[in-house]
Amino acid sequence: MSTFVLLTITGLGLGAMYFLVASGLSLIYGLMGVLNFAHGAFITVGAYAAWWLAGQIGGGAGVQLVVGGAFGLAVGAIFAALVELVFIRPLYRRPVEQVLVTVGLALAIGALVQGIWGNDARTFPVPSWMVETTTILGASIPNDRFVEIGVAALVLVGLTAFLRFTRFGLIIRAGVENRGMVTALGIDVRRAFTLVFALGGSLAALAGVLSGVYFGTIDPARGTSLLIFAFIVVVIGGFGSIGGSAVAAVVVGLVQQYANYYASAGTGDLAVVLLLAAVLLARPAGLAPKVAH
């Protein structure tokens, strides 16, 4: 029983990271129709920015994590906004060119990070209380798992409220439905779309920071590995659906953990791919419709 509880909560923590990445992907695609393969670069940039600043300041690991994490989120948001302004905005309604540009940007950022800091994993600052465990039904659960799950839950509620109840959220949804009409009313839809990219970048950076806490280290390949599973989550949940991505992230995280333990190490990835194939065959549109609709 204790093993099952440990696997479940660990799987939920892993699913929380997948959701944070997938939520940014879903937001950008569902509201803007941009399939952003550079999203993994946002993860890497945010994680390394947090790690770099943490190494420059004093204080304990808790202070370093909070200050460095906040800096990483800001850098992720700014970087994503610049990507939208410089690379994406000139290519709206040209999806093939968008894909090529974002793939090239992802490769370039990965190479740049490796060139500056190398391929070696870097130790991430993790407060001692996060490394400590809490016993639940006989299982000793690392406390950082609860932090990751709680943050993901807050992001889900916050994103839903932002899109449904705020002025910017309404402008974004209206701009997706009829961009010409919204522009005719004197509203700058382009600025709203830049905000969406910045928000997606900050969520990716948050996932990068939390992945550093979860694994204890960061490396140049972290963004790519998380992005692969985030794309699987987005496809299973339905492109553009925040709620669908949340459900799919939980399922993917749990399936991966259970398969790795009860079958054999490494079969978790195979199980996730088989789950993806099953969903595509049974329900090609995913679990839920686009958020914009």
Side-chain angles (χ1 to χ4, degrees):
M1 180 64 180
S2 61
T3 300
F4 179 78
V5 172
L6 175 61
L7 290 172
T8 299
I9 298 181
T10 300
L12 291 175
L14 188 60
M17 281 192 296
Y18 292 159
F19 167 71
L20 290 174
V21 184
S23 61
L25 279 174
S26 291
L27 192 67
I28 292 171
Y29 183 84
L31 296 176
M32 303 168 66
V34 176
L35 194 57
N36 180 26
F37 285 91
H39 204 70
F42 301 164
I43 300 172
T44 302
V45 167
Y48 270 85
W51 166 80
W52 176 82
L53 186 64
Q56 307 303 311
I57 61 176
V63 174
Q64 292 176 332
L65 178 61
V66 171
V67 177
F71 180 70
L73 264 65
V75 170
I78 293 170
F79 178 63
L82 289 174
V83 168
E84 193 276 336
L85 289 169
V86 177
F87 297 103
I88 303 299
R89 183 171 291 187
L91 299 176
Y92 279 123
R93 304 184 187 280
R94 296 164 63 184
V96 175
E97 288 88 342
Q98 287 175 359
V99 169
L100 293 175
V101 166
T102 56
V103 169
L105 183 61
L107 294 174
I109 294 300
L112 179 62
V113 170
Q114 291 181 28
I116 297 174
W117 290 293
N119 286 318
D120 295 336
R122 304 287 179 167
T123 302
F124 202 77
V126 181
S128 59
W129 68 269
M130 285 190 176
V131 180
E132 295 171 357
T133 60
T134 298
T135 302
I136 299 178
L137 297 176
S140 297
I141 313 296
N143 291 330
D144 68 279
R145 306 306 193 253
F146 302 110
V147 173
E148 289 140 11
I149 294 168
V151 170
L154 289 175
V155 167
L156 175 60
V157 173
L159 276 179
T160 303
F162 170 75
L163 292 172
R164 292 185 179 180
F165 304 118
T166 67
R167 180 176 180 271
F168 258 116
L170 294 175
I171 290 173
I172 292 167
R173 295 169 65 192
V176 172
E177 295 294 340
N178 193 329
R179 183 171 181 172
M181 180 62 71
V182 174
T183 303
L185 294 174
I187 298 173
D188 188 357
V189 178
R190 295 176 301 176
R191 185 172 62 178
F193 282 0
T194 302
L195 174 64
V196 171
F197 244 84
L199 183 57
S202 66
L203 291 174
L206 177 59
V209 172
L210 290 180
S211 74
V213 174
Y214 186 96
F215 296 106
T217 61
I218 58 171
D219 60 75
R222 178 66 49 76
T224 301
S225 60
L226 286 177
L227 184 64
I228 291 171
F229 287 103
F231 267 117
I232 293 174
V233 165
V234 169
V235 172
I236 293 175
F239 272 105
S241 172
I242 301 298
S245 293
V247 174
V250 170
V251 173
V252 168
L254 291 176
V255 166
Q256 194 174 22
Q257 289 296 308
Y258 292 152
N260 279 333
Y261 182 82
Y262 290 112
S264 62
T267 57
D269 295 353
L270 175 61
V272 170
V273 172
L274 293 176
L275 173 64
L276 172 63
V279 171
L280 288 175
L281 290 172
R283 192 180 176 88
L287 301 177
K290 286 185 179 181
V291 71
H293 299 296

